[in-house]
Amino acid sequence: MSTKYSRSKLATTAGIVLTAALALTACESDEEENQGAADQVEEPDVEISYDISEDAEEVEIAGELELNQPAAWVMNEGDGEPVEEGDLMQILTANVDVDSQEVLSHDFDLGGSTLQLNEEFASTNPQAYEAMTGAPIGSDIAFYLPADTLGEGTPAYLNIISLEDVVPTYATGEESDDAQLHEALPTVSLEDDTKAPTIETPEGTPPEDLTVDVLKQGDGPEVQAESYVTIHYRGISWSDGEEFDSSWGEDNTGAPAQFELQQLISGWQEGLEGQKVGSQVLMSVPPEQAYGESEGHELADETLVFVVDILHSADPMPAEDPEATE
């Protein structure tokens, strides 16, 4: 699945600002004037307090927050277990204009997003990686971006990142009573350590319609039509059982993927909507709900089989008030 998550506007969620900042700071760290950007700067002498929810958007910065390079630090320490390398974290983020102390965007009331503390993240943004590593769950991380980081003329930004929880990297639901309900679907087995799935080569004629089995039944929030989901998945072709895509990777150590559900093939949209976080779903997707309409696509005529572990789901953004945009 090559589709990447994107929102229509930069300010719709603070996570997008964080993602953009990570990419930009990685590029800038190669420049001579930013040679020390990978090093943690001294924590500024400021106190930051906030109240952010569906009903409140208040941030107070007491002291002067002005640095010449990106920086990150623990501003409030939680009382949970320390975050470790490889952990998949649920985070809530808020993007704050430092000068005005205005909350420009946040996802505190939408369920946030996920972030894995891995080598890729460390190389992309060593400041945030250093601040998060070892920080107890429940901590708040301050991530500061100087003016002009996100483009000439942009103000200094503060990302408040709340470390909410560690998310399992595989489906943890109970085995469903309806597991392998459809006898036509191939058998799925799980690797002992990583719980990565293996799909047996299908036999016989594939189902004509979208066919969905819930192998594990989770008890988390339901995926909605416009949810932003974190998943692990593996996909094979029905005709020959060959794997064509997988977030697990060949060695079963790959990072989970994040997608906006409505940007994916229609078989995924229909098959995953209404499923609960923690579930593992087996789907047979006919060509017309996969890549059948993609002219020249190598899988255009293929029925595809997917195993999907649903790890996290963020609520969709509420519809914009037309009067608010006039």
Side-chain angles (χ1 to χ4, degrees):
M1 310 296 291
S2 59
T3 304
K4 295 182 183 292
Y5 168 69
S6 63
R7 297 279 191 178
S8 59
K9 294 183 179 179
L10 178 67
T12 54
T13 177
I16 292 300
V17 175
L18 174 61
T19 302
L22 301 185
L24 283 169
T25 52
C27 295
E28 291 175 353
S29 64
D30 293 334
E31 298 179 8
E32 201 168 70
E33 66 266 29
N34 290 302
Q35 189 171 359
D39 299 325
Q40 283 290 85
V41 299
E42 184 176 349
E43 181 179 331
D45 185 19
V46 296
E47 289 189 8
I48 302 171
S49 59
Y50 73 89
D51 180 11
I52 300 175
S53 65
E54 184 178 5
D55 301 317
E57 296 183 358
E58 299 176 2
V59 173
E60 182 176 349
I61 303 172
E64 186 173 340
L65 181 53
E66 185 175 350
L67 304 169
N68 60 10
Q69 64 187 49
W73 64 94
V74 177
M75 65 185 210
N76 297 310
E77 189 168 285
D79 57 6
E81 292 295 317
V83 175
E84 299 178 353
E85 167 72 25
D87 280 348
L88 180 67
M89 299 175 292
Q90 178 192 2
I91 62 172
L92 307 178
T93 55
N95 181 38
V96 180
D97 183 322
V98 172
D99 291 334
S100 68
Q101 302 190 22
E102 177 188 359
V103 177
L104 302 177
S105 55
H106 72 87
D107 55 17
F108 273 61
D109 56 337
L110 301 177
S113 59
T114 59
L115 174 68
Q116 190 165 33
L117 203 65
N118 54 21
E119 290 183 4
E120 181 181 0
F121 179 66
S123 63
T124 304
N125 193 294
Q127 300 93 345
Y129 176 86
E130 286 292 328
M132 292 179 185
T133 303
I137 289 296
S139 297
D140 293 323
I141 306 297
F143 179 60
Y144 174 83
L145 297 173
D148 300 325
T149 302
L150 297 181
E152 186 175 352
T154 57
Y157 289 116
L158 170 71
N159 266 116
I160 295 173
I161 307 168
S162 177
L163 308 184
E164 286 295 289
D165 204 356
V166 173
V167 178
T169 54
Y170 57 88
T172 57
E174 296 291 330
E175 185 172 339
S176 174
D177 294 336
D178 294 332
Q180 302 289 170
L181 178 65
H182 297 91
E183 294 182 358
L185 298 187
T187 301
V188 175
S189 58
L190 303 180
E191 203 266 340
D192 288 340
D193 294 331
T194 65
K195 307 303 180 184
T198 297
I199 310 171
E200 298 297 322
T201 300
E203 297 180 356
T205 303
E208 293 184 1
D209 300 321
L210 175 69
T211 306
V212 180
D213 275 354
V214 178
L215 304 183
K216 292 182 180 181
Q217 181 62 66
D219 58 4
E222 285 191 1
V223 175
Q224 301 178 51
E226 296 180 349
S227 289
Y228 178 36
V229 294
T230 302
I231 58 170
H232 251 323
Y233 67 92
R234 176 155 276 149
I236 67 168
S237 300
W238 185 288
S239 63
D240 56 14
E242 289 294 317
E243 180 180 307
F244 62 88
D245 197 8
S246 172
S247 60
W248 292 96
E250 293 182 1
D251 59 358
N252 293 333
T253 61
Q258 298 187 57
F259 298 112
E260 195 166 16
L261 189 60
Q262 65 177 353
Q263 294 185 338
L264 302 179
I265 58 175
S266 63
W268 276 47
Q269 294 179 44
E270 183 178 337
L272 296 184
E273 183 180 354
Q275 304 291 352
K276 292 185 176 183
V277 170
S279 297
Q280 183 179 70
V281 179
L282 174 65
M283 297 187 292
S284 172
V285 183
E288 59 270 20
Q289 289 188 274
Y291 300 107
E293 296 183 0
S294 301
E295 185 176 350
H297 198 291
E298 61 182 356
L299 299 173
D301 299 325
E302 285 280 359
T303 293
L304 306 178
V305 181
F306 295 96
V307 175
V308 181
D309 287 22
I310 306 172
L311 309 180
H312 179 262
S313 179
D315 291 343
M317 295 295 298
E320 284 190 2
D321 181 358
E323 294 183 0
T325 60
E326 290 180 355

